[in-house]
Amino acid sequence: DTAVSQTPKYLVTQMGNDKSIKCEQNLGHDTMYWYKQDSKKFLKIMFSYNNKELIINETVPNRFSPKSPDKAHLNLHINSLELGDSAVYFCASSQEGRLAAYNEQFFGPGTRLTVL
Amino acid sequence: GQQVMQIPQYQHVQEGEDFTTYCNSSTTLSNIQWYKQRPGGHPVFLIQLVKSGEVKKQKRLTFQFGEAKKNSSLHITATQTTDVGTYFCAGCSGAGSYQLTFGKGTKLSVIP
């Protein structure tokens, strides 16, 4: 009964490979996010989807492509992995309403990506 | 764009001492949220402040939102080893906005 789940938990791969990280939430939320947390623990938003539509796309390389098959899933595909992509990637979800008071975010456990 | 500054970046305290982390935004916020991330864990929501001058308490934790809604603080009284982790503030700039801007966090170490 995990609220926000991510797979895999760990991902070790070679430079140049393509990989995907999956995220699912069972909270019935409308909005899902991808964050990148680097070695200094800075949490930076990458993408946000609301009801399967992209609403935030921060300045990330276009090697990163999010895909939302339905509002419970938001996957992240990364092409041509680089050393600098090594980080922990967190998926999160929230229920948006007319009032900002309803946008507490629930985070997944994270995927630690290591690019060799 | 909106920036949220958080200080200090690190804080080491003796168990039983108090701890405070401060957050400042470059713009007026509609609300501010606080999260705690334990070592090796994921951010977990602690609280949300919405009203100007709001003060909320959770046991030994006291959260404040400034009158101008541009700053906030989290104060922990008599720290315990279970308080160890990184505390993040995150500001939302407008009602219905989907984007939280996170501060860089304050990493708290508690020496037993």
Side-chain angles (χ1 to χ4, degrees), chain A residues 37-54:
Chain A
Q37 187 171 50
D38 62 23
S39 57
K40 293 183 180 177
K41 297 292 192 186
F42 300 157
L43 257 178
K44 193 170 178 191
I45 190 162
M46 300 172 71
F47 301 102
S48 174
Y49 268 74
N50 178 255
N51 278 319
K52 302 195 296 172
E53 280 189 42
L54 180 66

Side-chain angles (χ1 to χ4, degrees), chain A residues 37 55 96 101 103 105 108, chain B residues 33 35 37 42 45 48 98:
Chain A
Q37 187 171 50
I55 52 170
E96 301 302 334
N103 60 359
Q105 295 191 11
Chain B
Q33 299 178 9
Y35 290 79
Q37 183 177 17
H42 59 276
F45 175 82
Q48 176 166 257
Y98 298 104

Side-chain angles (χ1 to χ4, degrees), chain A residues 98-111:
Chain A
R98 290 187 298 116
L99 300 176
Y102 298 112
N103 60 359
E104 164 193 350
Q105 295 191 11
F106 293 79
F107 283 78
T111 296

Side-chain angles (χ1 to χ4, degrees), chain B residues 58-97:
Chain B
Q58 286 180 351
K59 297 182 181 176
R60 294 178 296 102
L61 277 60
T62 302
F63 303 84
Q64 289 190 306
F65 201 9
E67 293 289 341
K69 298 182 77 172
K70 293 179 81 171
N71 56 59
S72 181
S73 64
L74 156 59
H75 179 83
I76 303 179
T77 305
T79 54
Q80 299 174 359
T81 53
T82 52
D83 296 325
V84 162
T86 301
Y87 292 85
F88 293 95
C89 62
C92 183
S93 60
S97 167

Side-chain angles (χ1 to χ4, degrees), chain A residues 2-114:
Chain A
T2 305
V4 183
S5 58
Q6 292 178 230
T7 53
K9 192 169 170 61
Y10 299 97
L11 187 50
V12 181
T13 189
Q14 298 284 339
M15 248 182 0
N17 284 350
D18 302 340
K19 290 293 177 187
S20 291
I21 307 172
K22 295 187 175 183
C23 178
E24 177 181 0
Q25 55 95 3
N26 62 6
L27 297 166
H29 287 166
D30 292 332
T31 307
M32 296 184 73
Y33 311 82
W34 277 109
Y35 287 88
K36 179 180 179 180
Q37 187 171 50
D38 62 23
S39 57
K40 293 183 180 177
K41 297 292 192 186
F42 300 157
L43 257 178
K44 193 170 178 191
I45 190 162
M46 300 172 71
F47 301 102
S48 174
Y49 268 74
N50 178 255
N51 278 319
K52 302 195 296 172
E53 280 189 42
L54 180 66
I55 52 170
I56 294 172
N57 183 359
E58 291 297 305
T59 309
V60 298
N62 57 14
R63 299 181 294 102
F64 290 79
S65 52
K67 288 219 168 38
S68 182
D70 55 61
K71 74 173 195 177
H73 296 85
L74 181 62
N75 303 324
L76 183 64
H77 187 76
I78 316 169
N79 287 328
S80 303
L81 279 155
E82 299 177 358
L83 293 176
D85 297 333
S86 295
V88 180
Y89 291 84
F90 286 103
C91 176
S93 74
S94 68
Q95 180 64 54
E96 301 302 334
R98 290 187 298 116
L99 300 176
Y102 298 112
N103 60 359
E104 164 193 350
Q105 295 191 11
F106 293 79
F107 283 78
T111 296
R112 182 174 293 277
L113 171 64
T114 303

